[in-house]
Amino acid sequence: MGPDVPLLNDYKQEFFLKRFPQTLLGGPRLKLGYCAPPYIYVNQIILFLTPWLWGGVGTLLYQLGVMKDFCTAALSGGLMFVTALALQMTNLYAKQKTVTVERMQIQNTLTDEDEFEFSSCVGSETVKFIIPGKKYIINTVFHSLLAGVLCGLGTWYLLPNRITLLYSNFGGTVVIFVFGWVTICIGEYSLIINTATETATFQALDPYEITALMRPFYIFVFIAVDLAHRFAVNAPILEQTNQILHILFLFLPFLWAMGILPPLDALFLWGMEQLLEFGLGGSPMSSNTKLLVMFLISAGTAIASYFIPSPLGVILFMTGFGFILSLNLSEIWFAFKHTMISHLASSKSKNTHRGLRIQFGWREFIFYVTVLAFALTEASLLHQFAGSSSFSQARPQAIASYILILLLVIMWILREIQRVYLFGVFRNPFYPKDVRTVAVFMEKQRRLMKVGVVRRILLTLVSPFAMIAFLSLDHSLQNLHSVSVSIGFTRIFRMVWQNTENALLDMVVVSAAQMLMFNPDLWWNRSLDTGIKLLLVGLLRDRLFQFLSKLHFAIAILLTSWTEKKQRRRSSAALIALNLAFFPVLLALVAVSALLSSPLLPLFTLPVFLVGFPRPLRSWPGPVGGTACVCSDTVYYRQLVPGLAAALQSALAAGGLGLSLPGSHYLCRFQDRLMWILVLEKGFTYCGVNIKGLELQETSCHAAEAHRVDEIFEMAFEHQEHTRILSPNPHFGHILTPCTVVPVRLYSDARNVLSGIIDSHENLKHLKDDFVKVLVWMLVQYCYKKSKAWESPGSANKNKQGSFPENQHGGAVKGSRALREEESFSVDTVEDWTDDSDIFDFELSSRTRDRKEPEQLGLTPKVHLSIPGSVETQSQDFLPEMSPEDKLNRAVVLGLPAVDKGKQPEVLPHVEFSCSYSELLSIPEEWRTAPVPSSKVSEMRQRFPEEWYHFVLSQLDFFHLKEKPSSLLTDLMKDKALKDLYIHGVLSCCFGLFGLDNAVPAPRHVFRAYTGGIPWSAGLDWLTGKPELFQLALKAFRYTFKLMLDKASLGPVENFKELVNYLEEYESDWYIGLVSDLEWQQAVLQEKPYLFSLGHDPSMGIYTGRVLTLQELLVQVGKLNAEAVRGQWANLSWELLYATNDDEERYSIQAHPALLRNLTVQAADPPLGYPVYSSQLLQLPLF
């Protein structure tokens, strides 16, 4: 796909050109895709100007001195309320009038989706088109009332006399009056007539019609400031603010159209998150419920601290609640509830799986109580001995300041040397070089692990106590405190534990400022207490880091739009020139975006930048891990996520992932797997993350970006070019910066071409003989396991009719089919079937590969055939006296001679065992009824591996039998009747899988047999009628095939003991089957050590083997530019939810190796993104 692919296709361009004017004007549809009568446009214009009409009436009466200002507002509001209610009633009447017609109306699929047929100026269709109406009656009344209030207050807000008092300029008054009323008309139309689709869309759906309230809400905010100014006395700040807002009021339609102002749901969530983090010292939360609860508790704590009269009590209260609120309260509550339920039920409660949870027990409880006790003791003692004079370098607080500076430097150094690159620029000389295996890496990293432990202790224990000492010695807490003291110190006493590293940095900055500013008359020292200083410094620090990160993102887009040839469009040069010419404007946009903590939105990911609307850090409204595009690849992520979470726990605690804050993004890579990690919340000794897995089936765009990720990680961790000290990062400036590697227990995926093995005549010649041996072993093991339910031969004698009655169908035992001569079964030979159906070979195997039922594994005709061992049912098509072979021939029209026509079914003779214990190993009777000729039975007796059979029996121990003779195994080996049963069982399976032909099977038949897609034959039909036996035979064949590969690669099997070892290893440590099997996924989740699957590539005509090996391997971890991710997600949200640009080949989803654009789109929450796996919130303990 070239770089000049259209940003929007023709249909979407037309759609966007119709939608955007509607958004700009608040809802009027003045641009339609078809010809509409003029009254449609006239009616919308009249309704649009109606609020101005009623407001103009009130304004005129006020200017003429007929009414006072508040009476004018009441009159205009009342008229608007009546009008709005009348319009809604008109819509309800139109809907009731046409409800019957609508039900009978046939939709014309050839017409445009927006096209309506209008009959008159006030017809039902016209009313419903212009006024869609509300979903709920309560909204009909509420929105109408709100429209009246908005019109009344808007009239009051825009009274000319009031504007003249603010500006003393007649021209300015006219401009503000005219365009101010345009803003109010837009808000009224969106509220009561037709709600426009907003460019700032957070939720995909609006079930409660909240979008209609967005524009009126912002108008009310402006009016509220004006009302405050009216009733306030001597408030110059309010007057200046009101003057600015009156001018900004005119630009509200532009801000709405550009999507800068957030919708109400995103606004309140963002506001609570910002207040919780920067006003109350907390952390962003992983869910809306947790955010609301934590915000209310934290706000209540800050308010309560204001009413505590004692300074000492305030310090103890702030210290205690700051520590408690920084803990993982949801986990503690879960552990408490779990314990209470266990005690109340007097039984062990159910162990509910909720991801990687912290096991909060007595050890953690004692640790937290001890830390809290020491913190309270330290704060109270230091506060008692602290003086109340101003700051001096000789005072104890100065000593605490120096300690904090030293701690910051030490922790900063210890954190940086845990990463592969220092500051992301120079290679760390202390980091292990050329790490490829876990053993080598762990050996080289021992010193860094010790450093990580030291840093963890400093971060968890030393730094918080040092900061509490600094705060307790502050003179601001010695006297009666104010609101600012309560807010500032409540925040910082919590931040000490909640976000220790940033709190330490803030305190060092404040301490350094106090040391450098000796003049007590400076504004910084005179007007602000330490708590407010720390709050301002923290806010400035966050916004500064955001500004730098957003600027990095903007410059990366600018540069790569030209340096990356595949991103170079015809418009690239012009866009770059405009950005350079208006670079101060670009910096202003980046600064505004940083101040609002909103994403910098690159339109279509081009160097055209907008300020996105503020939203929560997690960017998406839905619950964490609530949705994912589940497929067959999901299981691999489900298996590795617990181990990856445990590895990340150690890396986060040691500092190997850098400064990890809520909103940080990480990318992990191993072979074809990509894991996307988002930090959601963080507190004292815990971190909450969400892990997503991206698709494994790489598209061209996915592969291009994944190749760049591999290149970055290989240059950092594997290539020898970095052996020089402080060598530069060759990919500096990329949004991905390598951090470290972590050992994780997961599956490595190896795929091999089997040419030369599966098509080797020598290997295939031994395949049948090996299959007989494996099948003998498997049948003996199967019967032996069944026999463990039997305690003595006496109990076996009670069931002479069959060894395993549970495997038999009800009813009388059917007679065996009469045997045919070998010549009559020539149609069942492998080569005949293969040659005749070659054109359908792999189509058949692909259809049957995913089927789970054993009966479906063969191509069985959908007719009623007699199955040995089952009850025959009556049918009009088949007479009761017809033999099974007659029914078979008549059903499938094979034209085979009915050599046994007229013969009656024979009852199987009773088997007389020479050993009474042989009954325990006897195979079920129905497994001996295969219709094979007697000549084949004799031939199988000669081929039967008797020595192997005796060796397998000799390996049985029969420990489950209470009393057994010492010669038990010898008697079993001598029992010829038991051996004949196994000969018949083995022959039956060979008959079903290979037919009666002794030819060497072709590779394609081996593949079919492995996948269960063998063409239909009478033998296969009989075998699939015995599901349990068929599964054993299929399993034995797969074991045989794997044995053939092992013999070809490792050498021949020397003796029977080695062969048994192979088979026992297959049974215990391997799953040998197909990737599409349900059992394959279960084996992955159960962490089988090895998995093997056979595949075929029809395009290249080759057979492939796939082996998954469970082992501890190194996963590479890199940190992403969080603002680059947020910016691309903001564009994705705008492009799909507003512009509805869901084209799979759109420009903004194409590969961009420098921005990882395709991977970033994948990692978004569904329905906009498509990760194949998304975990629930994972709580990682960090101590």
Side-chain angles (χ1 to χ4, degrees):
M1 186 65 65
D4 285 308
V5 60
L7 302 177
L8 290 170
N9 58 39
D10 294 337
Y11 171 75
K12 294 299 182 182
Q13 288 179 16
E14 181 183 357
F15 175 81
F16 178 77
L17 292 177
K18 289 189 298 182
R19 170 170 278 190
F20 187 73
Q22 181 183 354
T23 301
L24 182 63
L25 296 176
R29 287 181 274 189
L30 302 180
K31 180 178 176 56
L32 304 177
Y34 52 92
C35 184
Y39 55 77
I40 295 297
Y41 305 101
V42 173
N43 287 349
Q44 292 183 84
I45 293 173
I46 292 173
L47 291 175
F48 180 81
L49 297 176
T50 299
W52 200 348
L53 173 64
W54 300 136
V57 171
T59 302
L60 182 62
L61 293 176
Y62 172 74
Q63 293 297 121
L64 294 175
V66 177
M67 301 179 69
K68 295 184 178 181
D69 52 359
F70 58 88
C71 294
T72 297
L75 175 63
S76 300
L79 291 173
M80 190 63 216
F81 169 69
V82 173
T83 303
L85 202 58
L87 291 173
Q88 294 301 315
M89 293 301 106
T90 303
N91 173 266
L92 292 176
Y93 175 76
K95 287 182 178 180
Q96 292 178 357
K97 184 177 178 181
T98 59
V99 63
T100 306
V101 178
E102 285 183 353
R103 290 177 181 174
M104 300 297 295
Q105 185 178 0
I106 299 176
Q107 181 74 24
N108 184 3
T109 57
L110 299 179
T111 60
D112 192 285
E113 60 181 358
D114 294 328
E115 189 169 347
F116 284 76
E117 294 182 3
F118 305 105
S119 57
S120 66
C121 180
V122 291
S124 300
E125 291 297 330
T126 303
V127 172
K128 290 189 297 180
F129 173 77
I130 298 176
I131 312 172
K134 305 296 180 182
K135 296 179 183 178
Y136 309 106
I137 297 297
I138 187 172
N139 281 344
T140 299
V141 178
F142 175 65
H143 290 186
S144 299
L145 180 62
L146 203 61
V149 175
L150 179 62
C151 184
L153 293 178
T155 303
W156 203 3
Y157 185 72
L158 295 175
L159 287 175
N161 288 354
R162 177 65 177 171
I163 301 174
T164 304
L165 288 175
L166 284 175
Y167 299 100
S168 301
N169 186 293
F170 178 77
T173 300
V174 173
V175 172
I176 292 176
F177 179 80
V178 173
F179 288 99
W181 268 108
V182 171
T183 300
I184 291 179
C185 289
I186 290 174
E188 291 278 12
Y189 198 98
S190 179
L191 175 64
I192 202 65
I193 308 297
N194 182 28
T195 303
T197 303
E198 299 290 351
T199 51
T201 303
F202 188 57
Q203 302 268 8
L205 301 176
D206 182 26
Y208 303 110
E209 299 175 311
I210 299 176
T211 305
L213 304 176
M214 171 185 163
R215 301 192 183 201
F217 172 80
Y218 288 106
I219 295 176
F220 280 128
V221 170
F222 282 71
I223 294 174
V225 176
D226 181 71
L227 293 177
H229 177 223
R230 285 175 185 268
F231 298 106
V233 180
N234 296 328
I237 296 179
L238 275 177
E239 182 178 0
Q240 295 173 3
T241 304
N242 198 17
Q243 290 174 346
I244 295 172
L245 291 183
H246 266 80
I247 298 175
L248 190 60
F249 189 77
L250 310 183
F251 295 94
L252 273 180
F254 173 78
L255 298 177
W256 289 326
M258 291 295 101
I260 298 175
L261 297 178
L264 297 185
D265 48 358
L267 174 65
F268 286 110
L269 292 175
W270 170 82
M272 283 194 296
E273 190 174 85
Q274 294 294 306
L275 287 174
L276 178 61
E277 183 175 4
F278 299 105
L280 301 170
S283 164
M285 293 287 116
S286 59
S287 68
N288 298 338
T289 304
K290 290 178 67 176
L291 177 63
L292 178 61
V293 172
M294 185 57 70
F295 175 78
L296 294 176
I297 295 175
S298 303
T301 303
I303 294 171
S305 67
Y306 177 75
F307 295 99
I308 300 176
S310 169
L312 179 60
V314 170
I315 288 182
L316 294 178
F317 181 83
M318 291 178 176
T319 304
F321 270 90
F323 175 79
I324 293 172
L325 293 179
S326 68
L327 300 177
N328 190 359
L329 296 181
S330 60
E331 176 65 25
I332 295 175
W333 168 249
F334 175 81
F336 175 75
K337 185 171 64 173
H338 185 277
T339 304
M340 292 302 297
I341 292 175
S342 300
H343 286 302
L344 292 176
S346 299
S347 62
K348 191 175 182 180
S349 63
K350 186 181 294 184
N351 183 20
T352 306
H353 176 73
R354 291 183 55 181
L356 185 71
R357 302 193 59 91
I358 302 175
Q359 299 300 320
F360 185 83
W362 285 108
R363 183 172 63 89
E364 290 77 13
F365 177 76
I366 294 173
F367 171 73
Y368 290 147
V369 170
T370 305
V371 172
L372 178 59
F374 274 102
L376 294 175
T377 303
E378 179 194 20
S380 60
L381 291 178
L382 291 177
H383 177 73
Q384 291 292 334
F385 289 104
S388 59
S389 60
S390 60
F391 187 89
S392 171
Q393 291 186 357
R395 290 181 50 77
Q397 193 177 27
I399 299 174
S401 300
Y402 289 121
I403 294 175
L404 292 180
I405 294 173
L406 180 62
L407 280 173
L408 177 65
V409 173
I410 293 175
M411 288 182 55
W412 173 69
I413 294 174
L414 296 182
R415 185 185 70 203
E416 286 298 320
I417 65 175
Q418 297 286 329
R419 306 168 64 190
V420 66
Y421 288 118
L422 299 175
F423 316 109
V425 181
F426 302 104
R427 181 172 178 82
N428 180 6
F430 301 100
Y431 196 85
K433 298 180 177 63
D434 196 21
V435 288
R436 296 175 186 266
T437 62
V438 176
V440 174
F441 174 74
M442 297 303 291
E443 180 67 25
K444 292 182 178 181
Q445 206 196 20
R446 283 185 177 179
R447 291 178 299 172
L448 291 182
M449 292 175 65
K450 296 177 181 177
V451 171
V453 172
V454 173
R455 179 185 178 276
R456 190 182 309 182
I457 295 173
L458 292 177
L459 178 66
T460 308
L461 297 176
V462 179
S463 295
F465 285 105
M467 286 187 283
I468 289 176
F470 175 84
L471 295 174
S472 301
L473 294 170
D474 191 81
H475 68 276
S476 301
L477 294 173
Q478 300 299 324
N479 304 319
L480 292 177
H481 52 281
S482 61
V483 174
S484 62
V485 172
S486 295
I487 294 175
F489 279 92
T490 300
R491 169 189 174 274
I492 194 60
F493 268 108
R494 178 176 178 182
M495 193 176 174
V496 161
W497 307 100
Q498 189 91 48
N499 193 348
T500 306
E501 292 183 84
N502 280 340
L504 183 61
L505 176 60
D506 295 347
M507 287 191 189
V508 168
V509 171
V510 171
S511 300
Q514 286 180 324
M515 292 177 183
L516 297 176
M517 297 180 184
F518 299 106
N519 188 358
D521 296 329
L522 289 176
W523 170 81
W524 177 263
N525 290 329
R526 176 172 45 82
S527 303
L528 301 177
D529 58 72
T530 305
I532 297 300
K533 291 177 184 176
L534 290 169
L535 190 152
L536 294 176
V537 168
L539 187 62
L540 181 62
R541 166 193 43 80
D542 178 80
R543 294 322 192 239
L544 178 61
F545 287 167
Q546 282 197 41
F547 176 82
L548 296 176
S549 184
K550 293 176 195 291
L551 187 61
H552 173 207
F553 174 47
I555 293 176
I557 291 182
L558 274 173
L559 294 179
T560 56
S561 64
W562 185 259
T563 57
E564 295 277 348
K565 291 184 178 180
K566 292 186 177 181
Q567 308 302 324
R568 193 181 301 168
R569 299 173 61 87
R570 287 192 293 267
S571 60
S572 295
L575 291 175
I576 293 173
L578 286 174
N579 277 278
L580 293 177
F582 295 96
F583 192 71
V585 177
L586 175 60
L587 289 179
L589 288 174
V590 175
V592 171
S593 177
L595 287 175
L596 295 176
S597 188
S598 61
L600 182 67
L601 192 155
L603 201 62
F604 298 105
T605 63
L606 293 172
V608 179
F609 300 101
L610 301 174
V611 178
F613 66 87
R615 66 199 78 190
L617 275 178
R618 63 181 186 275
S619 296
W620 308 111
V624 175
T627 55
C629 302
V630 179
C631 65
S632 58
D633 296 334
T634 304
V635 66
Y636 303 111
Y637 290 109
R638 290 181 59 192
Q639 181 274 325
L640 69 85
V641 159
L644 177 61
L648 290 174
Q649 168 188 331
S650 301
L652 285 169
L657 301 185
L659 182 60
S660 58
L661 300 172
S664 299
H665 294 261
Y666 296 92
L667 187 66
C668 301
R669 178 69 166 170
F670 175 77
Q671 290 187 348
D672 57 351
R673 273 151 279 184
L674 281 163
M675 291 73 73
W676 193 286
I677 301 168
L678 170 60
V679 179
L680 294 167
E681 57 185 68
K682 194 173 183 183
F684 183 64
T685 68
Y686 88 96
C687 181
V689 301
N690 167 243
I691 301 178
K692 294 176 182 175
L694 307 187
E695 63 181 357
L696 303 185
Q697 303 298 328
E698 296 184 350
T699 61
S700 57
C701 297
H702 180 105
E705 295 184 357
H707 176 72
R708 179 63 62 88
V709 171
D710 291 336
E711 180 183 338
I712 292 173
F713 281 135
E714 287 173 4
M715 294 292 289
F717 299 114
E718 297 179 8
H719 289 180
Q720 295 290 339
E721 288 85 354
H722 293 294
T723 53
R724 292 185 294 111
I725 297 177
L726 297 178
S727 57
N729 178 6
H731 293 94
F732 176 73
H734 196 276
I735 71 165
L736 176 66
T737 303
C739 291
T740 186
V741 293
V742 292
V744 181
R745 185 173 173 81
L746 44 66
Y747 283 101
S748 62
D749 194 346
R751 304 172 191 240
N752 302 308
V753 177
L754 301 182
S755 300
I757 299 179
I758 192 174
D759 52 0
S760 169
H761 185 270
E762 188 68 21
N763 292 335
L764 295 174
K765 185 172 65 174
H766 297 290
L767 183 68
K768 281 190 176 180
D769 293 336
D770 288 341
F771 173 70
V772 171
K773 292 181 181 179
V774 174
L775 188 58
V776 168
W777 180 83
M778 197 158 287
L779 287 174
V780 170
Q781 293 297 320
Y782 170 83
C783 296
Y784 176 70
K785 290 177 182 177
K786 287 284 188 179
S787 72
K788 288 186 176 181
W790 298 51
E791 296 183 358
S792 66
S795 61
N797 294 333
K798 298 177 183 179
N799 296 280
K800 291 294 183 180
Q801 296 302 322
S803 301
F804 305 100
E806 64 272 15
N807 293 330
Q808 298 180 2
H809 297 281
V813 179
K814 295 290 180 180
S816 63
R817 301 187 182 196
L819 301 180
R820 298 185 178 186
E821 294 298 328
E822 182 177 349
E823 293 75 16
S824 66
F825 277 84
S826 61
V827 70
D828 291 333
T829 60
V830 172
E831 295 303 325
D832 287 344
W833 272 104
T834 304
D835 293 341
D836 293 343
S837 58
D838 186 68
I839 192 172
F840 304 105
D841 281 357
F842 301 107
E843 180 182 356
L844 174 65
S845 64
S846 63
R847 285 199 308 266
T848 59
R849 189 175 303 168
D850 296 329
R851 302 182 182 180
K852 301 175 184 178
E853 296 295 332
E855 302 89 86
Q856 296 175 331
L857 293 174
L859 189 61
T860 308
K862 296 182 178 180
V863 294
H864 179 77
L865 299 180
S866 175
I867 299 177
S870 65
V871 179
E872 185 67 30
T873 58
Q874 301 296 327
S875 172
Q876 293 180 355
D877 295 332
F878 304 111
L879 299 176
E881 60 272 12
M882 291 179 65
S883 66
E885 275 65 37
D886 289 336
K887 299 175 184 179
L888 176 64
N889 296 336
R890 180 171 177 178
V892 298
V893 200
L894 292 177
L896 301 177
V899 296
D900 57 348
K901 184 175 181 179
K903 294 184 179 181
Q904 297 296 324
E906 297 182 7
V907 178
L908 282 177
H910 176 66
V911 179
E912 294 291 342
F913 295 113
S914 61
C915 176
S916 60
Y917 287 89
S918 297
E919 187 73 24
L920 297 175
L921 299 180
S922 174
I923 64 176
E925 289 186 1
E926 62 173 2
W927 292 6
R928 319 174 210 158
T929 58
V932 292
S934 57
S935 60
K936 288 296 178 181
V937 178
S938 301
E939 182 180 335
M940 179 53 72
R941 283 196 177 96
Q942 297 176 1
R943 292 176 50 200
F944 188 76
E946 189 169 349
E947 293 183 0
W948 166 250
Y949 168 73
H950 290 164
F951 181 80
V952 172
L953 291 180
S954 67
Q955 301 299 305
L956 306 179
D957 49 40
F958 290 99
F959 286 151
H960 58 282
L961 297 182
K962 296 180 180 179
E963 298 179 0
K964 59 181 179 180
S966 58
S967 61
L968 173 59
L969 296 179
T970 305
D971 295 340
L972 290 175
M973 295 178 193
K974 293 180 180 179
D975 195 332
K976 294 183 178 181
L978 182 62
K979 185 180 75 172
D980 287 342
L981 289 182
Y982 280 94
I983 291 174
H984 277 87
V986 171
L987 179 59
S988 300
C989 296
C990 293
F991 172 55
L993 294 180
F994 300 105
L996 296 176
D997 196 351
N998 291 327
V1000 176
R1004 55 178 171 268
H1005 183 82
V1006 172
F1007 176 74
R1008 286 171 169 178
Y1010 186 95
T1011 60
I1014 309 172
W1016 183 89
S1017 66
L1020 180 64
D1021 182 49
W1022 177 89
L1023 186 59
T1024 53
K1026 315 294 178 295
E1028 202 167 5
L1029 180 61
F1030 178 79
Q1031 290 301 318
L1032 283 175
L1034 183 62
K1035 187 177 180 181
F1037 185 84
R1038 291 174 173 177
Y1039 282 15
T1040 305
F1041 182 82
K1042 183 63 174 66
L1043 180 65
M1044 181 185 74
L1045 297 183
D1046 290 344
K1047 288 167 62 178
S1049 57
L1050 302 177
V1053 177
E1054 299 293 338
N1055 49 51
F1056 289 159
K1057 183 63 178 176
E1058 185 178 355
L1059 179 56
V1060 168
N1061 291 338
Y1062 270 116
L1063 297 179
E1064 289 178 348
E1065 182 184 356
Y1066 295 160
E1067 188 72 19
S1068 60
D1069 296 341
W1070 286 79
Y1071 175 78
I1072 303 174
L1074 297 175
V1075 175
S1076 57
D1077 292 342
L1078 178 62
E1079 292 80 4
W1080 178 280
Q1081 299 188 15
Q1082 294 173 349
V1084 171
L1085 295 178
Q1086 294 168 2
E1087 296 195 338
K1088 278 274 189 180
Y1090 307 97
L1091 292 89
F1092 174 82
S1093 175
L1094 177 64
H1096 179 262
D1097 187 349
S1099 61
M1100 301 182 64
I1102 58 174
Y1103 297 93
T1104 58
R1106 181 181 182 185
V1107 178
L1108 299 185
T1109 305
L1110 183 66
Q1111 52 188 323
E1112 195 171 37
L1113 297 166
L1114 295 176
V1115 174
Q1116 300 154 335
V1117 186
K1119 189 172 185 178
L1120 294 160
N1121 184 331
E1123 294 304 324
V1125 175
R1126 294 183 68 202
Q1128 294 183 74
W1129 280 356
N1131 172 72
L1132 176 68
S1133 178
W1134 177 88
E1135 197 172 346
L1136 266 67
L1137 296 182
Y1138 181 76
T1140 65
N1141 187 25
D1142 56 352
D1143 187 357
E1144 293 182 355
E1145 298 298 331
R1146 63 185 183 272
Y1147 171 77
S1148 61
I1149 203 175
Q1150 301 300 312
H1152 196 311
L1155 297 180
L1156 304 182
R1157 183 168 57 193
N1158 185 268
L1159 297 180
T1160 305
V1161 169
Q1162 287 185 50
D1165 280 8
L1168 304 186
Y1170 45 97
V1172 300
Y1173 172 81
S1174 182
S1175 72
Q1176 300 292 327
L1177 175 66
L1178 301 177
Q1179 308 279 10
L1180 308 182
L1182 301 182
F1183 186 76

